[in-house]
Amino acid sequence: MTLRRVNVIILVLLAVAFLIIVQRNLLNLNDLLHKDNPDVEGILPFESELSPDLRLHLARQGEEIPIIITAAEERLGAVIAAINSAYQNSKANVVFTIVTLNETVDHLKYWLGNSKLKNIKHKIVVFNPEILSGKTAGDPEIAKIMKPLTFARFYLPAYIPEAEKVIYLDDDVIVQGDIQDLYDISIKPGHAAAFSDDCDSASVKGIVRGAGNQNNYIGFLDFKKGAIKKLGMKTNTCSFNPGVMIANLTEWKNQNVTQQLEHWMELNAKEDLYSKTLAESITTPPLLIVFYKRHSTIDPMWHVRHLGSTGAGNRYSPQFIKAAKLLHWNGHYKPWGRASSFSNEWDKWYIPDPTGKFNPVRKHAGDS
């Protein structure tokens, strides 16, 4: 037998030995996975293969994506569902800033700490309603129903001073796409924010029937008032919904956006520029004024809205809802309530309250 043949045989034997070792290691790894996760059938530790629950515990690396969301006590379940959906549907290094009131902090901490969201990156910021003193003193009826946290979006740079760009989300949303894609939407130079216009192809289906024309400026502002007339804005300009926003905080600070918003709040308190408009909104109009023709646009599929309005179930097909990147139940009917459309899409992401205080209301077969 020649030396060359001996060398070939030795190489073959080494290759066979190597394959045997690899096979044994894989079998041992499989046994280990079964031991640690008895409900997982033969899943290897690659993130793309893991179930959502397991994916939660993997370390997120790369650029941080800051998300700001408010948390009102009576809607805390909404915040939990929104955070859960945004986190699980992305592999990005998402960091949540949750803006709430002092009386809600303990409940929020307990809910997060006793759920599968306990390991998410987050910080809790307490919003002081005193900052609104003198800025919203208008109609007593409006003041009675005013929710301080609805104005939290006016003060975005205060929550994350070091960030250059953030995503703001209302609590009544569910994120179905990868939040990285929303974050990557470009904001034009000189613009401090991006919104999804109400005249776009997706939201035009969602005009609120019987409540006036709320997809343009005349539905939100009183154009008979002198302060509004002086601005020279066109009444038929497409409005936008600020429930989903990407903000360039550098431009926001350079343009004194917060101060501009506060100016219009104070002026409305004196002159009632928009409190009694068809939309009956006191948070959207200042944003419409300040960002008039000075905002970038978000893909409408990243803000499919009006799901909380009457007849939403007839305006959107189930296929369209599943294709949407983000769902927003703006309107009177919320997905944790009895009469909402597509509440099943919200239920997928809801995590029960360990304290038992928050419970979604569902219509049972015996209800009329």
Side-chain angles (χ1 to χ4, degrees):
M1 185 178 294
T2 65
L3 181 61
R4 186 176 180 181
R5 289 186 63 186
V6 170
N7 288 338
V8 170
I9 293 172
I10 291 173
L11 286 173
V12 171
L13 291 174
L14 286 173
V16 171
F18 174 77
L19 290 174
I20 292 172
I21 291 170
V22 169
Q23 182 185 27
R24 286 181 177 177
N25 285 338
L26 287 174
L27 289 173
N28 290 336
L29 176 59
N30 192 47
D31 291 341
L32 180 62
L33 286 171
H34 275 283
K35 181 179 179 181
D36 291 341
N37 302 290
D39 297 328
V40 181
E41 285 295 327
I43 296 177
L44 293 174
F46 304 122
E47 185 169 357
S48 61
E49 298 294 331
L50 293 180
S51 67
D53 287 353
L54 292 175
R55 193 181 302 132
L56 279 167
H57 303 299
L58 293 176
R60 309 284 183 110
Q61 296 181 344
E63 178 189 13
E64 288 189 351
I65 297 181
I67 299 176
I68 296 175
I69 189 167
T70 58
E73 177 66 30
E74 69 275 12
R75 298 158 67 108
L76 209 49
V79 181
I80 296 296
I83 290 175
N84 190 31
S85 67
Y87 192 81
Q88 288 205 38
N89 283 317
S90 178
K91 299 176 184 177
N93 187 11
V94 185
V95 182
F96 296 93
T97 296
I98 309 169
V99 184
T100 189
L101 299 177
N102 195 52
E103 60 265 26
T104 305
V105 172
D106 289 342
H107 189 184
L108 175 60
K109 284 183 176 179
Y110 189 81
W111 200 332
L112 288 172
N114 290 274
S115 74
K116 59 187 179 182
L117 297 176
K118 63 184 177 183
N119 293 320
I120 65 168
K121 290 183 180 179
H122 73 282
K123 71 174 181 178
I124 297 173
V125 176
V126 176
F127 184 78
N128 184 0
E130 288 298 316
I131 200 172
L132 304 175
S133 180
K135 300 181 181 72
T136 57
D139 189 330
E141 291 302 313
I142 296 292
K144 191 184 300 182
I145 61 172
M146 189 194 77
K147 306 294 184 184
L149 286 175
T150 62
F151 296 96
R153 73 198 81 190
F154 289 7
Y155 301 92
L156 297 181
Y159 314 131
I160 321 177
E162 70 281 3
E164 293 186 4
K165 186 179 182 182
V166 301
I167 295 171
Y168 169 85
L169 299 177
D170 272 355
D171 59 2
D172 52 352
V173 306
I174 288 296
V175 179
Q176 299 189 138
D178 188 337
I179 202 76
Q180 177 81 57
D181 296 337
L182 178 60
Y183 186 76
D184 288 342
I185 290 175
S186 62
I187 300 177
K188 293 179 180 178
H191 286 177
F195 308 91
S196 192
D197 288 332
D198 280 328
C199 295
D200 60 48
S201 58
S203 67
V204 73
K205 304 175 183 178
I207 296 173
V208 183
R209 313 298 184 190
N213 194 357
Q214 292 181 25
N215 68 332
N216 57 32
Y217 271 51
I218 200 171
F220 290 88
L221 298 166
D222 188 346
F223 279 83
K224 296 177 182 178
K225 297 295 174 72
I228 301 298
K229 280 183 179 179
K230 288 178 183 177
L231 296 173
M233 298 185 299
K234 293 184 178 179
T235 60
N236 63 347
T237 302
C238 282
S239 58
F240 54 79
N241 183 300
V244 177
M245 180 195 326
I246 310 170
N248 179 329
L249 296 187
T250 302
E251 282 292 341
W252 190 290
K253 288 180 280 192
N254 289 342
Q255 297 178 27
N256 296 316
V257 170
T258 295
Q259 289 74 16
Q260 291 187 60
L261 293 169
E262 288 183 326
H263 166 74
W264 287 105
M265 289 168 66
E266 292 168 355
L267 205 58
N268 179 66
K270 298 174 183 175
E271 302 183 23
D272 204 13
L273 303 177
Y274 47 77
S275 297
K276 295 180 180 178
T277 56
L278 293 170
E280 296 181 350
S281 171
I282 55 177
T283 52
T284 300
L287 289 159
L288 293 177
I289 294 170
V290 172
F291 288 103
Y292 178 71
K293 293 189 175 181
R294 294 187 65 191
H295 67 275
S296 299
T297 56
I298 294 173
D299 181 341
M301 293 303 284
W302 266 107
H303 194 179
V304 173
R305 46 208 179 277
H306 302 299
L307 297 184
S309 304
T310 304
N314 298 324
R315 282 195 293 273
Y316 299 111
S317 69
Q319 293 79 13
F320 179 78
I321 291 298
K322 289 188 181 301
K325 303 294 186 181
L326 183 146
L327 305 173
H328 187 187
W329 280 265
N330 61 308
H332 294 295
Y333 305 105
K334 302 303 179 185
W336 55 89
R338 188 181 300 273
S340 169
S341 298
F342 304 109
S343 58
N344 57 310
E345 299 301 328
W346 184 87
D347 287 341
K348 295 176 183 177
W349 307 104
Y350 174 66
I351 301 172
D353 183 358
T355 71
K357 294 177 183 177
F358 183 96
N359 290 292
V361 179
R362 291 290 175 258
K363 187 171 183 177
H364 301 292
D367 295 342
S368 56

